[in-house]
Amino acid sequence: MAVYACCALYRLLDWQYALTAQATKQLTMDTSITPTDYAAAPINAALSAEEKIEMYREMCRIRRFEQTALKYYNKGEMAGFLHLYIGQESVATGTISLCGENDHVITAYRCHGHALACGMEMNPSMAELFGKATGASKGKGGSMHLFAPEHNFWGGHGIVGGQTPLGLGLAFGVKYQGLKGCCLCYLGDGAINQGAFHESLNMASLMEIPVVYIIENNGYSMGTSQARSSAHDGPLAKRAEGYGMEWDTVNGEDVYEVRAKTYEAMERARNENKPTLLEIATYRYYGHSVADANAKKYRTPEEIEKYKTYHDPIRLWRRQLISEGVLSDETADAIDKEAKLEANAAGKFAVESPVPTVESLFEDVYWEVDNDTAAGNTGRHFFND
């Protein structure tokens, strides 16, 4: 409750400053496209044309999935929270494209993009947003709690910063088993002041845990600019120096840069068991959630349109691939149309899916009970009878 109380206080302060020009100058990181040729990095130079197109397809799928979810939410057919990833697709797509069989992914509540990039199908993902029994978490988690252990995706988590010690644990498990892998643990810029996150950084460095923490810095947390909510001198990732940890900043608009710098961090984790803190500059087009009625008050409509027009990651990646002769406008349009049809079909699937039964409330609570073990048969698990 304290977390939400603090967020509410920050938001109240933003309302007070909303009409001033000072309040609209929010982003503290330079998100312009850099001239560095990250396409020449070995990890990117090795990409085939098909792999590059596949990343474009994945970003389109994430965008169309989100737009379809928004449509149903606005129609009142979807309840609960809905935290959209629109505008940030290059981050999840670029980083997760580097994952191997021993790499794991965990993130916060803005999790749809990561889930799809890890390999989750649209139908169970969309059904989960509707709270349906066919959902990835059987309708019990909703938008913030997509899970796919079969894809090494360990979920979205609703508690701010709560996933950061869990990501540490996943990475420790990789090291403990003697595997060559790591964990990508994502968080927003609003979570970097949480105590659990700093405890995780300390332990990751002290115990040499192969975890890569990725701050998806969209500048505004839950509605308060980074400049007004976080005491810092330069990039947020610089805080890693206090723990003797490597860090870097990344232009999230450039898929090549995202991959090049994340790969370097992942290799450090895999080969040296050393953690890294990355800060990827990105931008969300909508509010903290769809319920954020003040999304255009703590930033100007002009700023939002500027990012949509000049900094959209899908548009930039499309332009890049066309300039390389890898993609044509016709093929790009066809891929986007295919993604739209898939998302529409997922929406239809979710609408037509059944709601969970009353009996299912007692399932997936205790593993021992669900699997009929000795402990499940003899232990006392329910305390209200």
Side-chain angles (χ1 to χ4, degrees), residues 359-370 375-385:
E359 292 74 20
S360 69
L361 288 173
F362 298 96
E363 299 171 355
D364 307 306
V365 179
Y366 292 99
W367 188 91
E368 291 84 356
V369 173
D370 291 339
N377 290 323
T378 60
R380 183 174 177 81
H381 297 275
F382 302 103
F383 306 96
N384 60 347
D385 53 2

Side-chain angles (χ1 to χ4, degrees), residues 92-366:
T93 300
T95 54
I96 293 172
S97 69
L98 299 164
C99 287
E101 63 176 338
N102 295 321
D103 298 315
H104 298 260
V105 172
I106 190 169
T107 188
Y109 40 76
R110 201 178 304 278
C111 63
H112 312 153
H114 307 84
L116 293 176
C118 280
M120 284 187 67
E121 296 179 357
M122 279 198 191
N123 281 2
S125 299
M126 187 70 76
E128 187 59 38
L129 270 58
F130 278 77
K132 295 299 184 71
T134 55
S137 299
K138 301 180 182 179
K140 299 178 179 181
S143 170
M144 297 187 284
H145 302 287
L146 298 178
F147 282 83
E150 68 275 17
H151 295 296
N152 286 359
F153 177 62
W154 299 99
H157 294 263
I159 301 300
V160 177
Q163 76 282 7
T164 55
L166 299 179
L168 181 75
L170 287 167
F172 176 79
V174 171
K175 178 180 179 180
Y176 185 80
Q177 295 177 68
L179 301 174
K180 187 175 180 179
C182 67
C183 177
L184 299 182
C185 181
Y186 301 80
L187 62 148
D189 52 293
I192 53 89
N193 297 319
Q194 293 295 316
F197 175 52
H198 288 270
E199 291 178 28
S200 299
L201 293 182
N202 180 66
M203 190 172 292
S205 182
L206 186 67
M207 300 180 64
E208 297 187 336
I209 306 299
V211 59
V212 179
Y213 285 109
I214 298 175
I215 304 170
E216 295 192 66
N217 187 352
N218 56 37
Y220 292 97
S221 302
M222 283 186 68
T224 302
S225 69
Q226 180 191 122
R228 297 182 57 243
S229 62
S230 297
H232 61 97
D233 177 20
L236 296 175
K238 187 179 179 181
R239 295 185 179 188
E241 292 180 357
Y243 302 97
M245 185 185 299
E246 295 291 334
W247 64 276
D248 204 349
T249 58
V250 186
N251 173 14
E253 299 170 4
D254 185 347
V255 175
Y256 283 139
E257 181 172 345
V258 169
R259 280 175 48 86
K261 291 189 174 181
T262 304
Y263 178 74
E264 182 179 337
M266 292 177 76
E267 283 294 278
R268 181 181 299 116
R270 291 163 175 161
N271 298 322
E272 304 174 39
N273 285 320
K274 294 294 181 64
T276 303
L277 178 59
L278 296 178
E279 180 179 358
I280 302 183
T282 184
Y283 195 83
R284 65 168 195 252
Y285 295 167
Y286 292 89
H288 169 68
S289 73
V290 179
D292 183 0
N294 298 285
K296 293 184 179 180
K297 290 186 178 180
Y298 51 77
R299 54 183 183 169
T300 64
E302 291 78 14
E303 177 185 296
I304 298 171
E305 287 305 311
K306 181 189 74 171
Y307 277 90
K308 288 182 178 180
T309 303
Y310 300 108
H311 301 276
D312 184 81
I314 298 178
R315 182 178 298 180
L316 292 173
W317 186 237
R318 172 174 173 153
R319 184 187 305 165
Q320 175 67 37
L321 297 188
I322 290 175
S323 70
E324 294 179 13
V326 169
L327 188 66
S328 66
D329 280 318
E330 293 75 19
T331 301
D333 289 341
I335 289 172
D336 184 54
K337 182 179 180 180
E338 181 182 284
K340 184 177 181 180
L341 291 173
E342 183 186 4
N344 287 339
K348 184 174 184 294
F349 171 82
V351 169
E352 296 175 352
S353 292
V355 297
T357 64
V358 174
E359 292 74 20
S360 69
L361 288 173
F362 298 96
E363 299 171 355
D364 307 306
V365 179
Y366 292 99

